[in-house]
Amino acid sequence: MILDNNLTLDGFISVVRGSDKVELSDSARARVERARAVIERIVDGEQAVYGVNTGFGKFENVQVDRDQLAQLQHNLIVSHAIGLGEPVPTEVVRGMLLLRAQSLALGHSGVRTEVVELLLAFLNRRIHPIVPAQGSVGASGDLAPLAHLTLALIGLGEVEYGGQVRPSAEVLAEVGLTPVALQAKEGLALINGTQFMGSLLALAVADARTLLDTANLAAAMTVEAKYGSHRPFQPDVVGLRPHPGAVAVAGELREYLRESQIAPSHLVGDGRVQDAYSLRAVPQVHGASWDTLAYAERVLATEFASVTDNPLIFPDTGEVVSGGNFHGQPLAVTIDALKVAVAELGSISERRTEQLLNPSLSGLPAFLTPQGGLNSGFMIAQYTSAALVSENKVLCHPASVDSIPTSANQEDHVSMGAHGARQLRDIVNNVAGVLAIELACAAQGLDFQWERQELTPGVGVDRAWKHIRTLMPTLEGDRYFRPEVLRIREAVLSGALVAAARGE
């Protein structure tokens, strides 16, 4: 990938979760150098400019001597690297490295080119700074997490390299990289930004795409296992309330259910008038999540193309302006909305699982086991699903409505976006488990229906059913099947199950 001003979510994922290398474009290099020239002129002059030759936060009015400017930036990093908690996963750190380089490459931050190049060298050589999860309030950027990221660039702290956690200085010496000696403005430019919450959000949006597609597939499988109606998914019905998400979800359901032999088999002699909401209202419920995800993708695209530090450098005029681009609120409120949207995919999935397991609702053997009493079948799988859904209700509390003043009330309103982003990651993982349980139950329900009438479900459902059976055999009697559900969960998160259903 050539880094300029063209980062997309798919490109982000190909680097962060893949093996794509990143290079700085010539145009980005030129922009960075022009902004740096502005900082050099300030350093040579007498004007006090925040963060260049003054202290930070409440110390904004304390001017620092020219011969102490490098020490000022070094002190900023070591004093701000005070995060706590467990280290965040490697993919989150890789996202932070990429997004921080992207923002600096836009040419309004005033760092030297070698600073951006070192970020990319860490990324390309898979040197991953250890970044604790806790410490950001999401306002003056993700200060503590980004300080830990920067700590490794200056040869302090620890990194993960080759599967081992080692001192940064030791690894840099081994691979032939020189730690950067920060100069005026550079430390501040590296830690003022939203790249911690931004990385978490980008990863969650990518996973939420897959979860939404999988939730549609799980719903289609449950509809077939329960002999549910396809009529609510038809264009004339959904078209009377044509929210984009509902229309898209209904179209995907129809594709998964196409050529079903089950649907026409119960059009005559079926005394039911309508299905439960968790089946017939799938386009409306999943569709609302689809619309929220589409909004989150638009916000993320804007953030990818944004400069988020402070002060901002305008090379054309030489201006240096203190603003609020570092504030995490645009991401924080989006994260909170996406938390709800993803959690609802799990909430309705758990209800569909109940529809399959409860014999008074399903017309299938209780808990989908042929010898109930001797066997418990999927009874406790639903408990686990219910537990995850209930946990998500707590995690969905909006972090962005909270605020606590920092820096002696200089930074008097904060976004708490980092908290929300960490909660979102947990919700995504929980919903993947809830969907895996529904898929396992729906496959079992289809087994019973097949034994009874030997009718083939819709083409997408049939493909998914067969794929699940490569991961989890039919539950003939009680056994330890947690590892099998985990395999289904992995197929959910990787997108393998949806790909199989689509014949890819």
Side-chain angles (χ1 to χ4, degrees):
M1 175 192 293
I2 304 299
L3 192 67
D4 195 288
N5 187 17
N6 57 344
L7 186 62
T8 64
L9 180 58
D10 289 342
F12 173 91
I13 294 298
S14 71
V15 171
V16 171
R17 287 180 170 165
S19 56
D20 284 9
K21 305 291 186 184
V22 188
E23 298 178 18
L24 193 62
S25 72
D26 291 339
S27 57
R29 186 174 285 103
R31 289 195 299 267
V32 171
E33 290 171 355
R34 289 186 68 220
R36 184 62 197 175
V38 175
I39 297 300
E40 298 292 351
R41 289 195 294 272
I42 292 170
V43 170
D44 290 338
E46 300 297 327
Q47 179 185 4
V49 176
Y50 177 76
V52 178
N53 51 20
T54 74
F56 310 104
K58 193 65 175 177
F59 292 125
E60 62 178 332
N61 296 317
V62 179
Q63 193 159 351
V64 178
D65 293 338
R66 180 176 177 177
D67 61 0
Q68 294 181 310
L69 296 186
Q71 188 66 45
L72 172 69
Q73 299 300 316
H74 177 90
N75 289 352
L76 177 70
I77 301 307
V78 296
S79 67
H80 284 47
I82 189 61
L84 296 176
E86 293 297 313
V88 296
T90 294
E91 65 176 10
V92 178
V93 176
R94 289 183 61 78
M96 292 170 69
L97 289 166
L98 178 58
L99 294 180
R100 189 68 266 181
Q102 170 67 86
S103 183
L104 297 177
L106 296 176
H108 292 277
S109 299
V111 302
R112 291 167 296 153
T113 306
E114 48 260 51
V115 173
V116 186
E117 297 281 13
L118 188 57
L119 285 165
L120 297 182
F122 269 61
L123 191 61
N124 292 335
R125 299 192 187 208
R126 308 191 77 85
I127 303 168
H128 306 127
I130 299 301
V131 177
Q134 296 172 301
S136 174
V137 294
S140 281
D142 293 311
L143 292 174
L146 287 168
H148 282 278
L149 192 81
T150 305
L151 201 64
L153 300 180
I154 64 176
L156 298 177
E158 294 180 315
V159 298
E160 179 274 319
Y161 180 67
Q164 295 182 323
V165 176
R166 298 166 55 190
S168 174
E170 181 182 298
V171 171
L172 292 178
E174 181 177 308
V175 302
L177 291 175
T178 302
V180 65
L182 296 174
Q183 296 184 12
K185 176 66 165 63
E186 292 181 332
L188 186 60
L190 282 163
I191 69 172
N192 245 325
T194 58
Q195 285 69 43
F196 178 67
M197 69 181 87
S199 178
L200 283 162
L201 174 58
L203 291 164
V205 166
D207 287 337
R209 282 178 173 176
T210 305
L211 291 183
L212 181 53
D213 289 340
T214 308
N216 294 338
L217 174 60
M221 290 185 69
T222 298
V223 166
E224 293 286 74
K226 280 197 83 262
Y227 280 26
S229 174
H230 299 188
R231 188 70 181 91
F233 314 141
Q234 300 312 308
D236 60 336
V237 176
V238 180
L240 292 179
R241 193 190 187 197
H243 289 288
V247 171
V249 168
E252 193 160 310
L253 289 169
R254 292 195 302 272
E255 184 59 27
Y256 288 139
L257 294 167
R258 180 170 51 85
E259 299 177 21
S260 169
Q261 295 177 359
I262 294 176
S265 73
H266 60 94
L267 292 179
V268 177
D270 190 332
R272 293 174 298 173
V273 176
Q274 58 186 14
D275 293 324
Y277 288 6
S278 58
L279 276 69
R280 64 183 156 108
V282 167
Q284 291 73 31
V285 177
H286 289 196
S289 296
W290 191 99
D291 289 331
T292 305
L293 178 58
Y295 169 72
E297 290 178 343
R298 293 195 298 272
V299 170
L300 199 58
T302 299
E303 196 71 5
F304 280 177
S306 296
V307 181
T308 56
D309 72 280
N310 182 67
L312 301 171
I313 314 302
F314 292 89
D316 290 342
T317 63
E319 276 189 293
V320 180
V321 180
S322 288
N325 282 12
F326 49 72
H327 203 291
Q329 201 72 8
L331 296 187
V333 294
T334 303
I335 287 165
D336 280 339
L338 192 57
K339 282 160 48 179
V340 173
V342 175
E344 280 300 283
L345 296 176
S347 178
I348 194 171
S349 172
E350 184 275 333
R351 290 293 79 201
R352 290 193 298 265
T353 296
E354 171 67 8
Q355 289 286 325
L356 289 164
L357 299 183
N358 188 330
S360 66
L361 302 173
S362 69
L364 297 166
F367 304 110
L368 299 173
T369 185
Q371 283 186 282
L374 174 64
N375 297 306
S376 295
F378 287 89
M379 180 191 296
I380 305 304
Q382 186 268 332
Y383 284 43
T384 299
S385 185
L388 293 172
V389 167
S390 289
E391 183 177 317
N392 284 347
K393 294 173 185 177
V394 177
L395 293 171
C396 278
H397 178 83
S400 60
V401 301
D402 189 19
S403 180
I404 188 167
T406 56
S407 194
N409 235 31
Q410 172 74 10
E411 298 159 6
D412 57 350
H413 181 276
V414 299
S415 76
M416 298 299 179
H419 295 70
R422 288 165 48 216
Q423 291 166 338
L424 174 58
R425 187 177 179 87
D426 288 343
I427 289 169
V428 165
N429 288 328
N430 287 346
V431 170
V434 173
L435 290 173
I437 288 170
E438 181 188 357
L439 289 160
C441 293
Q444 185 84 353
L446 286 167
D447 289 342
F448 283 118
Q449 299 290 27
W450 177 258
E451 290 173 6
R452 188 163 64 186
Q453 295 196 46
E454 296 189 356
L455 297 175
T456 302
V459 289
V461 170
D462 190 49
R463 291 173 185 148
W465 179 24
K466 290 172 180 173
H467 188 78
I468 288 170
R469 283 292 162 254
T470 70
L471 306 171
M472 179 182 187
T474 301
L475 198 67
E476 304 287 358
D478 282 355
R479 65 171 185 265
Y480 176 55
F481 62 90
R482 176 180 179 271
E484 298 161 11
V485 172
L486 290 178
R487 286 199 290 271
I488 297 173
R489 182 181 178 277
E490 177 56 34
V492 167
L493 284 170
S494 69
L497 185 59
V498 167
R502 292 172 174 171
E504 297 172 356

